[in-house]
Amino acid sequence: MIEVENLVKAFGSKRAVDGITFTVRNGEIYGLLGPNGSGKSTTMKILAGILRPTSGKVIVENVNVAEDPLEVRRIVGYVPETPVLYESLTPVEFFNFVGSVREIPREELQERVETFVRAFGIESYLGEMIGSLSFGTRQKVSLISAMLHDPKVLILDEAMNGLDPKSARILRELLLQFREEGRSIVFSTHVLALAETICDRVGVIYNGEIIAEGTVEQLKEFAHEESLEDVFLKLT
Ligand code: ADP
Ligand code: MG
């Protein structure tokens, strides 16, 4: 479970995140939706333990991010908006590197790599340098690397970016499976039709604040609109 209370992140005088509060339960997919620059990525980096909050409380699976960011990094699988990968490694070398950093037992690692590589259909790229791969293939490598340690929580920042329809569907199925297993997922996307079908609840973030929150049905009712996209356009 994830608890965010009055979270603030300031860069100089600019408050990228300006006092947001939300909770994500186990077995829930929470969509963080908002226009460019609204504070989604900053929030997600804090949830992933890679950016320190200015103030506020963030608890991920009973661990306080401000007190123990390293433990949070262990718990969380994080897919950044822009894949940060070692360009001169091949995907296999990169997965092995992640495995050793995360201390994943060899057989488990092998098994998970095989499963995800097959699911995303990147077998033929395994021997190529990551730097030479297309954006979509790198995104798949990034996704796989985030899931190798069997994370209890997934933080996915625009993870559908660059994925072809088949891979997007595979990711969608993986997320539903994760939810089924009782894990928490925070998910940002500009693909509102997808958010509409996959998110149990969504928070609309604008200028670093959550300005509306609820199930998609609740938001539609609240805004008197027919689709999540119309709600989004009305509110932001
Ligand atoms: P989103 O992901 O919703 O597009 P971000 O969280 O990336 O938004 O950014 C929110 C705001 O914070 C933007 O105005 C952005 O320019 C600013 N910002 C993000 N990261 C930094 C940083 N490292 N230094 C200064 N400003 C930043
Ligand atoms: Mg962003």
Side-chain angles (χ1 to χ4, degrees):
M1 185 166 128
I2 300 168
E3 288 174 81
V4 176
E5 210 180 295
N6 229 337
L7 178 65
V8 173
K9 178 66 191 181
F11 295 108
S13 60
K14 158 113 190 138
R15 284 183 163 215
V17 176
D18 197 6
I20 70 176
T21 296
F22 65 95
T23 300
V24 186
R25 291 182 282 266
N26 289 340
E28 188 173 47
I29 302 181
Y30 188 91
L32 208 48
L33 310 180
N36 296 330
S38 57
K40 302 180 296 294
S41 294
T42 304
T43 303
M44 296 174 104
K45 283 176 198 164
I46 294 169
L47 287 175
I50 61 166
L51 193 64
R52 286 185 79 81
T54 302
S55 63
K57 192 170 88 175
V58 179
I59 309 282
V60 178
E61 294 283 327
N62 297 319
V63 181
N64 189 317
V65 170
E67 285 164 13
D68 200 350
L70 289 180
E71 180 60 17
V72 168
R73 286 195 221 176
R74 269 190 279 278
I75 295 168
V76 167
Y78 169 60
V79 179
E81 191 168 5
T82 315
V84 186
L85 308 166
Y86 289 86
E87 305 217 337
S88 58
L89 298 185
T90 67
V92 167
E93 288 166 345
F94 184 64
F95 297 144
N96 285 334
F97 168 73
V98 171
S100 68
V101 171
R102 296 249 187 218
E103 298 176 346
I104 305 166
R106 208 176 161 72
E107 288 201 348
E108 261 175 54
L109 179 70
Q110 211 86 10
E111 203 182 299
R112 292 205 190 110
V113 166
E114 255 172 51
T115 307
F116 290 128
V117 161
R118 209 177 309 121
F120 284 112
I122 61 163
E123 295 93 332
S124 58
Y125 302 106
L126 293 180
E128 291 181 27
M129 258 169 47
I130 289 172
S132 72
L133 301 176
S134 71
F135 182 84
T137 307
R138 291 158 73 110
Q139 181 68 0
K140 292 175 200 174
V141 172
S142 173
L143 275 163
I144 293 171
S145 68
M147 296 191 284
L148 291 177
H149 63 300
D150 202 21
K152 286 187 205 156
V153 171
L154 272 180
I155 309 289
L156 306 177
D157 197 355
E158 309 284 353
M160 292 287 176
N161 277 1
L163 294 190
D164 53 64
K166 198 170 163 190
S167 310
R169 173 167 296 190
I170 286 155
L171 176 56
R172 191 171 179 278
E173 278 161 15
L174 279 172
L175 298 186
L176 295 175
Q177 189 186 324
F178 262 68
R179 168 167 74 184
E180 197 72 16
E181 291 161 359
R183 309 182 211 221
S184 316
I185 301 170
V186 181
F187 188 80
S188 77
T189 182
H190 289 298
V191 187
L192 297 176
L194 170 78
E196 192 156 2
T197 62
I198 200 174
C199 295
D200 298 299
R201 282 186 308 133
V202 302
V204 179
I205 181 169
Y206 189 67
N207 279 339
E209 293 181 68
I210 290 189
I211 54 167
E213 187 191 61
T215 63
V216 172
E217 284 312 311
Q218 285 167 340
L219 290 189
K220 285 197 239 175
E221 207 170 306
F222 165 75
H224 305 289
E225 293 292 351
E226 300 281 311
S227 71
L228 185 59
E229 186 176 26
D230 289 332
V231 173
F232 185 85
L233 293 174
K234 192 174 200 171
L235 295 179
T236 63

